[in-house]
Amino acid sequence: MNTTAAQPLSAERVDEAFAAERPNWWALLPARDWAALDAELDALALVPGLKGEQDLVEAANNLAEVCRLRQLNQPKLLDDWQAARPDSFWAPLLRVVHWCGVGWDYRGEGWAGSVGEQQWQAAAYANHAGCVLAMDYLSRQAADDSRLWLLMRSIVNMVGGFEEPQWLTDWLDSGQRPASAVFELDESPELRQLLASRGLDRLELPPLPAQMPACLQPFLPLRAERHEHAQDEAWFWMRVAHGLKRPAVEAIASYANFILPRWGGSWDEILALADAPYLSDLSEEEKGFIRYYAWSDELDPVNAEGDDEDPRYLKQVIAKAEAVLKRPLADNLRGRIHRSLAKLCQQAGRPAEEVAAHYRVTAPLNWVEGDDVRMALTFWLEHDRQGTWLAQMASLNKLRQPQAAVLYGFLCENGWAGLPQNLSVARQWYDHARRLLPPEPYPCDCPFEPVISPLEDAGEQDRVLGLMREAADHGYSLQQLKLGAYYQDAGSHFDLEKSQHYSRLAADNNCGAAISNMAVLTHDQAELPDLPEAQERAWRHQSFEWMLRYLDRMAEEEELSDMEARYVDGFLNRLANGLVNQPADPVVVQRVLPCVREYGDRGHVWCMCAVSRFYVDDSHPLYDYAEAVRWCEGVRRVDPEDEFVQGTIEMVEGTSLIKKGRYALAARRFKAADLPGQGEGADIY
């Protein structure tokens, strides 16, 4: 197939890209043009086959994306739509689809083991609410309305991920309407806060309908059948979707996703699903859409648990992918296989033209992810700097994919891959990437990184710095941290002011490494020779504040790396020294003393010694000999052989018989339990 661009590429502005969308949900929804929205969705529902299904699913996803990017309250907007057009089929359906999807927002796309207990409870409640709303909505629809397959697809995803609520299972299996849809909601503040974050705490659920929805009744005998896989309930809703509208391949494929090996199923199970007797009316291309879930999973070395560095394994996977290309497939799926082959051939070290051929096919056809952007740019920089396919890939994905938006902006900024150079357009796409993936406290994903990393490897240092500054100025802590370190290193680029500027930005984004960097930078400033006393004291106070902030930040971590532990120990030593050397400084007493006491009580030797030395110093108002003895006795028990401990004992105890007698008398007042640093877990240092 010919994928060469027929016309020269143009640097398209963000508003131009939005306006080119058809239908233009980006304009219709914010304008609250309810009639036009209904008309556009009605038209999509009439498009036959898989194309119509995919367009309708994409429309529902786009409407949700518009709400997110335009900061619109989606549930409120759908309520307003329904109020303005009570006969609208789509407003209440999309409302149910929205609440059905909220559970996945709580669960996230990561491994199930990373989901916290409160998140699971919030997801379970969202699942319950979605099912209540679905039953209410379905009860008011005609039994043969084929458009209901879209809602069934949402239920497939919801039930596949979280199981049916027990009240719904009992109703469908027994035919007896439950008295109510019961869900025992935990009263914990954490859960309430999670529910409030998505508006679930304000959602009013209707009572269950008096009767089973008519559209479900013909399918109830299927409940008696037991599928071999554990996803029986999701399988039932997939069958309902297919029964209401053929082919409903989008709903079937959603079910196929839940019988992948990572969910307890198998690739063979998906292949068998495509050949099931009740799906015999599907075309080979439609069956290929279902089988693709097994094929794509098998062709991904990570999902297939293969060794993507083993040449023999890569050769085997590439051969499988080439065999899949010979099967009946829609163009977009064929493009996805070419995308996999481009990456696999790249990893296997195949000839550059072979890799480029796959990229040229897939570029104008397929959505990409961040790692796709990284690998594509890496290859383009190494082998094919004149090819326009990279700009095609970025252009297709730039509205919805943040990494692609950055790539498109970068290509426009530099006039690469056939795009004309246009800095103002580039800046628009950098801003759009930030809208798609707003920066969050560290650590967070940075859409600039998959573009910066290949440029670094290619030695494009000037362009790397420019893009890093864009990322840092857009609020991404990773690039702020890297710039802070870059300007701190000795060399022609050394700039202490810039280093502090970017490190402070990253520190304000909760980046522990940046906070430690600020502590070091300000400490070094305080150590500069010939500083006026007031300036030296100001820098030292700043340094202490950053050290204290770093300790607070590390207290949030369950486990520290070796480097983090070294920084913690080093900063505690510096704070301890500050307490000993500036005992009359009010800032030191107010801010440093409590921290040093806290860590001393946990067994940090230098902190214990510093507290003892502080209280034995009679040059300040907090002099307390008994307290100095208490801490000295505590650290004597912790590490009597330490040189600093021995020096502290000598300082507090003294050398004369009178001083030693006074010390012994004071020490006898304290029992072992009264001494700091002796409790459980106090030996962590």
Side-chain angles (χ1 to χ4, degrees):
M1 63 186 297
N2 182 12
T3 60
T4 304
Q7 298 178 349
L9 297 172
S10 62
E12 190 176 35
R13 299 193 310 267
V14 175
D15 61 331
E16 292 174 334
F18 278 127
E21 288 277 289
R22 291 293 180 270
N24 191 349
W25 311 113
W26 310 90
L28 294 177
L29 193 58
R32 304 167 74 89
D33 193 342
W34 312 129
L37 285 164
D38 276 321
E40 293 286 7
L41 290 165
D42 284 338
L44 291 180
L46 295 175
V47 176
L50 182 56
K51 174 66 166 60
E53 292 181 20
Q54 291 176 327
D55 288 347
L56 203 52
V57 170
E58 184 178 352
N61 292 337
N62 281 346
L63 289 171
E65 187 71 355
V66 171
C67 289
R68 185 179 72 84
L69 292 181
R70 300 291 169 87
Q71 296 183 328
L72 303 172
N73 184 329
Q74 186 174 359
K76 174 66 166 57
L77 205 64
L78 294 171
D79 289 346
D80 292 348
W81 182 352
Q82 186 172 354
R85 291 176 63 83
D87 295 331
S88 169
F89 176 84
W90 299 106
L93 182 141
L94 291 173
R95 183 173 180 269
V96 179
V97 168
H98 166 79
W99 291 112
C100 286
V102 167
W104 277 107
D105 294 336
Y106 288 123
R107 184 196 184 281
E109 298 295 330
W111 293 101
S114 66
V115 183
E117 178 60 31
Q118 300 294 337
Q119 290 171 282
W120 277 122
Q121 289 190 42
Y125 182 69
N127 180 32
H128 158 78
C131 286
V132 172
L133 293 169
M135 295 297 281
D136 176 69
Y137 176 72
L138 293 173
S139 69
R140 291 181 276 107
Q141 306 303 322
D144 59 350
D145 195 321
S146 62
R147 295 173 295 180
L148 293 175
W149 75 270
L150 183 61
L151 181 55
M152 301 305 168
R153 177 182 178 273
S154 286
I155 300 178
V156 168
N157 284 306
M158 185 167 54
V159 170
F162 306 106
E163 301 181 344
E164 282 179 351
Q166 191 59 48
W167 60 264
L168 180 56
T169 300
D170 293 343
W171 192 4
L172 292 169
D173 287 344
S174 69
Q176 299 296 315
R177 178 188 179 278
S180 63
V182 178
F183 187 91
E184 296 294 336
L185 192 59
D186 186 357
E187 295 296 330
S188 70
E190 295 83 4
L191 179 59
R192 290 293 179 183
Q193 185 176 359
L194 270 178
L195 297 180
S197 68
R198 295 306 305 268
L200 265 174
D201 61 326
R202 301 183 299 275
L203 179 62
E204 296 183 6
L205 297 178
L208 292 178
Q211 295 183 335
M212 178 76 64
C215 63
L216 298 180
Q217 292 179 14
F219 302 99
L220 291 180
L222 294 175
R223 299 286 295 189
E225 298 181 20
R226 284 303 167 196
H227 197 238
E228 292 181 359
H229 188 263
Q231 294 288 349
D232 284 336
E233 296 159 350
W235 172 81
F236 167 76
W237 293 100
M238 178 270 290
R239 291 291 306 272
V240 174
H242 181 65
L244 288 171
K245 179 190 182 296
R246 297 169 187 266
V249 176
E250 277 281 355
I252 300 167
S254 291
Y255 172 72
N257 179 59
F258 289 108
I259 53 175
L260 286 167
R262 70 183 71 99
W263 288 86
S266 67
W267 299 328
D268 289 340
E269 195 169 353
I270 296 173
L271 299 177
L273 172 66
D275 292 322
Y278 49 84
L279 300 179
S280 59
D281 54 340
L282 299 185
S283 69
E284 283 302 308
E285 188 173 290
E286 290 165 345
K287 291 182 179 181
F289 186 82
I290 300 168
R291 295 177 181 129
Y292 175 78
Y293 277 78
W295 293 334
S296 63
D297 205 56
E298 189 177 9
L299 299 180
D300 185 335
V302 175
N303 291 334
E305 297 183 354
D307 185 355
D308 59 3
E309 295 183 358
D310 184 344
R312 295 169 299 177
Y313 177 75
L314 286 172
K315 182 178 180 181
Q316 177 185 358
V317 177
I318 290 170
K320 289 180 181 178
E322 291 171 340
V324 169
L325 284 176
K326 298 176 182 178
R327 294 176 173 269
L329 283 172
D331 282 348
N332 66 322
L333 295 184
R334 189 173 300 280
R336 293 182 198 176
I337 300 296
H338 280 287
R339 181 183 63 191
S340 296
L341 276 167
K343 294 192 292 184
L344 290 166
C345 291
Q346 197 170 339
Q347 289 173 280
R350 293 290 185 91
E353 181 51 39
E354 183 179 350
V355 178
H358 292 302
Y359 273 127
R360 284 194 289 270
V361 173
T362 192
L365 290 174
N366 284 284
W367 310 129
V368 295
E369 297 177 356
D371 193 54
D372 298 321
V373 169
R374 181 186 62 80
M375 292 196 69
L377 179 57
T378 296
F379 175 79
W380 191 88
L381 289 168
E382 290 178 352
H383 301 287
D384 193 21
R385 289 197 174 210
Q386 300 304 312
T388 61
W389 58 266
L390 185 66
Q392 289 178 303
M393 174 182 287
S395 182
L396 180 68
N397 291 272
K398 64 185 184 296
L399 272 181
R400 297 173 182 82
Q401 216 279 343
Q403 290 87 352
V406 172
L407 176 59
Y408 188 81
F410 174 77
L411 296 177
C412 289
E413 180 178 353
N414 292 277
W416 282 8
L419 284 170
Q421 190 170 21
N422 191 317
L423 181 58
S424 65
V425 169
R427 294 272 168 76
Q428 287 186 20
W429 287 106
Y430 297 150
D431 292 342
H432 183 64
R434 189 187 191 282
R435 285 191 292 271
L436 290 171
L437 185 61
E440 295 179 350
Y442 185 90
C444 68
D445 291 334
C446 174
F448 288 78
E449 183 62 20
V451 180
I452 290 174
S453 177
L455 290 168
E456 287 178 315
D457 294 340
E460 296 281 352
Q461 192 59 33
D462 290 341
R463 291 184 171 88
V464 166
L465 284 175
L467 206 54
M468 285 174 66
R469 283 191 288 265
E470 288 285 352
D473 292 342
H474 279 79
Y476 294 99
S477 53
L478 175 61
Q479 304 307 330
Q480 293 166 344
L481 172 65
K482 290 169 70 174
L483 278 173
Y486 173 80
Y487 287 116
Q488 186 180 359
D489 288 343
S492 59
H493 52 265
F494 175 79
D495 190 318
L496 186 59
E497 184 177 344
K498 287 183 179 179
S499 179
Q500 290 182 351
H501 169 71
Y502 285 112
S503 293
R504 184 176 288 107
L505 290 176
D508 289 341
N509 272 326
N510 204 38
C511 175
I515 296 172
S516 67
N517 196 34
M518 285 301 300
V520 172
L521 285 170
T522 49
H523 176 270
D524 290 348
Q525 286 287 100
E527 296 292 316
L528 291 175
D530 302 324
L531 274 181
E533 183 179 350
Q535 185 62 64
E536 185 271 340
R537 185 184 302 110
W539 280 116
R540 199 165 300 283
H541 288 171
Q542 284 192 41
S543 177
F544 289 157
E545 290 296 334
W546 285 112
M547 291 178 192
L548 292 169
R549 187 170 169 183
Y550 184 77
L551 296 175
D552 288 342
R553 174 67 182 83
M554 291 302 102
E556 300 171 2
E557 301 293 328
E558 293 184 4
E559 185 176 350
L560 301 185
S561 68
D562 290 343
M563 180 175 290
E564 289 168 339
R566 285 196 298 272
Y567 270 117
V568 166
D569 187 58
F571 289 162
L572 286 172
N573 291 343
R574 288 181 179 178
L575 290 168
N577 287 338
L579 182 64
V580 172
N581 295 329
Q582 294 101 39
D585 187 330
V587 172
V588 172
V589 173
Q590 293 170 13
R591 298 290 293 132
V592 175
L593 176 59
C595 174
V596 175
R597 283 182 61 100
E598 176 190 345
Y599 280 87
D601 201 39
R602 293 165 59 183
H604 190 277
V605 170
W606 275 48
C607 287
M608 297 181 75
C609 290
V611 176
S612 183
R613 290 176 181 233
F614 172 80
Y615 283 115
V616 84
D617 185 346
D618 60 5
S619 67
H620 59 84
L622 292 182
Y623 165 75
D624 187 334
Y625 181 74
E627 188 69 356
V629 171
R630 189 173 76 89
W631 282 90
C632 188
E633 283 298 288
V635 76
R636 188 201 298 269
R637 287 171 173 263
V638 171
D639 192 356
E641 303 301 323
D642 182 86
E643 184 177 344
F644 193 42
V645 172
Q646 292 176 359
T648 300
I649 295 171
E650 183 176 343
M651 174 185 289
V652 179
E653 187 177 37
T655 56
S656 70
L657 291 176
I658 294 176
K659 289 182 178 180
K660 285 181 175 289
R662 181 190 182 198
Y663 182 94
L665 182 62
R668 282 200 294 269
R669 299 174 186 173
F670 302 110
K671 298 178 181 179
D674 298 328
L675 301 178
Q678 313 303 311
E680 182 179 353
D683 59 348
I684 58 173
Y685 298 100

